[in-house]
Amino acid sequence: MSIGKYLASVFSLALALGLIACGGFPTTHPDATKNTPANNKADLKDCAQSYPETPDGVYLKNRIDCMKLKGWQ
């Protein structure tokens, strides 16, 4: 396998995993008073501060779990 094909496959795999991970973020809250973009952004910021970025990407799963614990679906 040439280096160009290898890099292209690695890039496409990383892009696909990124799209899957970002598609899983909770965006709705069952409580109508909390179901606003401002509350979602505030909770997401709180989760991002609790779970900073790491090279292995585990922080994305932790942030999603954090949002789910806060009630977001």
Side-chain angles (χ1 to χ4, degrees), residues 35-69:
N35 194 19
T36 64
N39 283 339
N40 185 307
K41 189 174 182 178
D43 284 346
L44 187 57
K45 184 178 179 181
D46 182 46
C47 291
Q49 289 175 347
S50 298
Y51 298 101
E53 289 188 29
T54 58
D56 58 4
V58 175
Y59 71 96
L60 290 173
K61 182 179 182 324
N62 291 336
R63 288 181 186 180
I64 291 171
D65 290 341
C66 176
M67 290 293 284
K68 288 181 179 179
L69 283 173

Side-chain angles (χ1 to χ4, degrees), residues 4-5 22 24 28 46 52 57 61 64 70:
K5 287 183 180 179
C22 291
T28 59
D46 182 46
K61 182 179 182 324
I64 291 171
K70 291 179 177 279

Side-chain angles (χ1 to χ4, degrees), residues 16-30:
L17 289 175
L19 290 174
I20 291 169
C22 291
F25 272 95
T27 57
T28 59
H29 200 287

